[in-house]
Amino acid sequence: GESVGLHLPTLSVQEGDNSIINCAYSNSASDYFIWYKQESGKGPQFIIDIRSNMDKRQGQRVTVLLNKTVKHLSLQIAATQPGDSAVYFCADLDTGRRALTFGSGTRLQVQP
Amino acid sequence: KAGVTQTPRYLIKTRGQQVTLSCSPISGHRSVSWYQQTPGQGLQFLFEYFSETQRNKGNFPGRFSGRQFSNSRSEMNVSTLELGDSALYLCASSLVGGAQETQYFGPGTRLLVL
């Protein structure tokens, strides 16, 4: 089956630095992508999404970039804060099955 | 607006027993999906319900089943529990489960099978 994967399992950054979390997807038919943040003991929390007809979308302190040529997705977090420490998942929505396919996740650790 | 709620939050069962988990979607959301999260397999899709009908199902054995009520609340059931069923079970809701529609997750039910 198709899969969505992450390049790095753990990312450690200093407070105040910018963070970049990467994701590769394999389904060339994917047209909708979501980033979720999951803190310990909680369910995934929606951060930002992007549709395949866009290559960049910005939110509050977060930016998602989509490169369809190389099937790559990234999440940029500006001025990373301790509260950003969590596991981040990219997910691809299979609109036919209405099912999200998740990557394995990247743990972001913010050092004070 | 209240988020997705799941009950119970924690559950301990023994092998061979069955369990029922409950999910209440965000008000106005009619599509409910269930996912299983384990350290080894990550997040995997179980099934999706809309208007009391299962529309899609993931690759799980028939021991995993679910249903949806007229108020969009959903339950999932796991019969004849196995040790490998220990996981965090997540429920997500969206308006109608349409294309490019965000799914919002509840806090999950952590199931431990002994």
Side-chain angles (χ1 to χ4, degrees):
Chain A
E2 303 293 347
S3 65
V4 179
L6 291 167
H7 293 312
L8 299 172
T10 304
L11 177 65
S12 186
V13 300
Q14 292 291 319
E15 182 178 355
D17 287 352
N18 296 333
S19 302
I20 299 176
I21 301 172
N22 296 302
C23 175
Y25 65 94
S26 58
N27 184 358
S28 57
S30 299
D31 62 358
Y32 182 55
F33 304 88
I34 310 167
W35 281 100
Y36 287 95
K37 170 187 179 183
Q38 187 174 26
E39 296 174 285
S40 181
K42 298 183 179 180
Q45 175 189 353
F46 171 83
I47 301 173
I48 193 167
D49 60 0
I50 188 166
R51 290 162 173 74
S52 59
N53 61 350
M54 306 170 69
D55 52 22
K56 180 179 180 179
R57 189 162 190 223
Q58 289 183 293
Q60 187 175 15
R61 285 200 305 118
V62 294
T63 301
V64 55
L65 299 177
L66 175 62
N67 185 328
K68 294 180 287 294
T69 303
V70 295
K71 298 181 198 169
H72 184 268
L73 196 67
S74 69
L75 175 70
Q76 300 178 359
I77 305 173
T80 312
Q81 303 168 359
D84 295 327
S85 293
V87 177
Y88 290 80
F89 294 95
C90 66
D92 153 66
L93 181 62
D94 179 336
T95 54
R97 293 174 65 231
R98 301 179 183 86
L100 289 167
T101 300
F102 285 85
S104 55
T106 292
R107 181 173 301 280
L108 177 64
Q109 296 177 334
V110 183
Q111 308 297 329
Chain B
K1 199 184 259 192
V4 177
T5 58
Q6 293 186 245
T7 57
R9 292 293 313 278
Y10 303 92
L11 210 47
I12 300 175
K13 293 285 187 179
T14 56
R15 280 182 299 173
Q17 287 186 310
Q18 74 166 15
V19 65
T20 299
L21 313 180
S22 181
C23 170
S24 292
I26 292 170
S27 177
H29 284 193
R30 295 167 58 197
S31 170
V32 174
S33 299
W34 288 89
Y35 293 82
Q36 181 196 64
Q37 185 175 26
T38 60
Q41 300 298 319
L43 280 144
Q44 294 185 292
F45 171 72
L46 280 157
F47 28 64
E48 186 257 355
Y49 285 87
F50 177 79
S51 287
E52 302 177 65
T53 300
Q54 185 183 93
R55 291 195 296 192
N56 296 284
K57 191 176 190 303
N59 254 354
F60 280 83
R63 299 185 297 107
F64 292 81
S65 64
R67 59 177 175 168
Q68 187 181 36
F69 302 94
S70 59
N71 61 358
S72 296
R73 191 176 69 84
S74 177
E75 289 181 348
M76 68 163 281
N77 184 77
V78 188
S79 62
T80 318
L81 284 166
E82 300 177 0
L83 295 179
D85 297 333
S86 294
L88 180 66
Y89 290 89
L90 293 158
C91 165
S93 76
S94 61
L95 281 170
V96 294
Q100 301 183 347
E101 198 175 277
T102 303
Q103 295 184 19
Y104 296 92
F105 284 83
T109 294
R110 186 162 296 281
L111 171 65
L112 177 61
V113 182
L114 301 176

